[in-house]
Amino acid sequence: MIEKHIALEDIDPVVFYGVNNDHLHMLKALYPKLRIMARGNVLKIMGDDEEMLHFGENVEKIRKHILKFNSISEEDILDIFNGHKTKADAVKDVVVYSTAGRPIKGRSENQQKLIEEFDKNDMVFAVGPAGTGKTYLSIALAVKALKEKTAKKIVLSRPAVEAGEKLGFLPGDMKEKIDPYLQPLYDALEDMIPAVKLQDLMERHVIQIAPLAFMRGRTLSDAIVILDEAQNTTPAQIRMFLTRMGWNTKMIITGDMTQIDLPKTQLSGLKEALRILTGIEGIGVVELTKKDIVRHKLVTRIVNAYEAYDRMTNKTTTNKTNE
């Protein structure tokens, strides 16, 4: 009797086997003529050649489904077995799926515009207030490119500019000092890529997260490169970053002009870059507004309150200056 091995590459075998191996038991019931055994991420099959071939084809379909959706149900397995489309396939305009199987897509007009500009251009600036999904959606686009193999790696970066704290006063070595600034990037990735797979990708440097200062001297090719919190770059820093672009690379630069933590005498590099680069072929600019906020409804109210306060403060200051 011939024995065949199938490796479950690129997916978490726990998702494939199901809770308490329920999915594996289901596959065994669907293929009673085969002897199916699981060892780690490898399936061992013995039985009829034709039956094993059919089983292998369906396992590959299940693997691709999990790779795309990060989950699978018994109903999905039956649909695949019967040659039907799964319910998840019917959802439109999805960028990627979260590790919980939730579709991640543009949820507002400007978020959808960000997706479209990314498809059309090699460089996109996404500017808007907190909660508009700039970083999260940008990382989703990068993860999609990695899954579809249109990019070989993801490079994520942020300037380590402190809002009221200095790196030197924080405990730990340089990595421990810097990691808190990069945590929002880790959070988004953990929501889209299973933990074991994410750790493997980071260990192999397929996904790289580093402070902006670490970009100097590099040429980034075959990659999706994201610079987050770009409003906190100096003109020299953002110029250095933008010129890291190599062949077959796309860049997304995100920022919020209302949250500049630079010294008041320092010009924001993002502000200068938008003034210089807007209108250049191959560069897209998307301006998100408070209408695009997709966090808790209180975030919109908070943004509105601060905008009103800023207007009042500026008006008071102007009146005093004119007196």
Side-chain angles (χ1 to χ4, degrees), residues 43-97:
L43 287 172
K44 296 181 180 180
I45 314 104
M46 288 183 286
D48 177 73
D49 283 352
E50 189 174 336
E51 194 82 350
M52 281 199 297
L53 178 63
H54 187 262
F55 176 81
E57 289 172 349
N58 278 335
V59 165
E60 178 60 12
K61 290 176 183 177
I62 293 170
R63 186 193 71 80
K64 286 182 176 179
H65 181 99
I66 295 172
L67 187 63
K68 181 177 180 180
F69 301 110
N70 285 319
S71 64
I72 195 163
S73 66
E74 292 185 2
E75 187 178 358
D76 291 331
I77 293 173
L78 281 175
D79 284 336
I80 290 170
F81 181 81
N82 292 320
H84 301 153
K85 282 192 172 184
T86 64
K87 285 184 178 179
D89 282 314
V91 181
K92 294 181 179 179
D93 301 323
V94 177
V95 179
V96 292
Y97 284 78

Side-chain angles (χ1 to χ4, degrees), residues 290 301-319:
K290 56 190 177 185
R301 295 173 191 167
I302 290 167
V303 170
N304 288 337
Y306 270 96
E307 284 182 354
Y309 175 79
D310 288 340
R311 285 195 299 270
M312 182 66 70
T313 303
N314 291 336
K315 184 178 179 181
T316 302
T317 303
T318 302
N319 289 340

Side-chain angles (χ1 to χ4, degrees), residues 7 48 54-55 68 72 75 83 87 111 146 148 201 240-241 258 263 292 323:
D48 177 73
H54 187 262
F55 176 81
K68 181 177 180 180
I72 195 163
E75 187 178 358
K87 285 184 178 179
Q111 285 191 1
L146 193 64
E148 294 179 350
L201 291 172
M240 176 275 292
F241 175 83
T258 67
D292 301 298
E323 286 176 357

Side-chain angles (χ1 to χ4, degrees), residues 168-215:
F169 291 107
L170 297 175
D173 59 20
M174 182 54 72
K175 184 180 185 301
E176 290 170 328
K177 290 175 188 288
I178 287 171
D179 268 356
Y181 296 97
L182 305 176
Q183 192 58 49
L185 306 180
Y186 290 115
D187 290 343
L189 286 169
E190 287 168 357
D191 197 32
M192 300 176 204
I193 302 174
V196 174
K197 182 62 180 174
L198 178 58
Q199 184 178 352
D200 173 62
L201 291 172
M202 294 187 74
E203 286 176 354
R204 293 192 288 116
H205 302 290
V206 175
I207 294 179
Q208 304 169 25
I209 304 179
L212 180 59
F214 288 35
M215 296 294 107

Side-chain angles (χ1 to χ4, degrees), residues 228-281:
D228 193 35
E229 300 286 356
Q231 77 277 0
N232 286 328
T233 60
T234 65
Q237 285 175 328
I238 200 165
R239 185 172 182 174
M240 176 275 292
F241 175 83
L242 298 178
T243 54
R244 302 305 94 201
M245 195 174 204
W247 294 107
N248 192 37
T249 286
K250 287 197 171 197
M251 283 187 167
I252 306 178
I253 300 93
T254 73
D256 177 0
M257 293 304 190
T258 67
Q259 294 188 1
I260 297 174
D261 298 317
L262 295 167
K264 292 189 182 299
T265 56
Q266 177 67 68
L267 175 66
S268 167
L270 177 59
K271 190 175 288 188
E272 182 182 83
L274 287 171
R275 194 160 55 232
I276 295 170
L277 301 176
T278 298
I280 291 179
E281 185 179 353

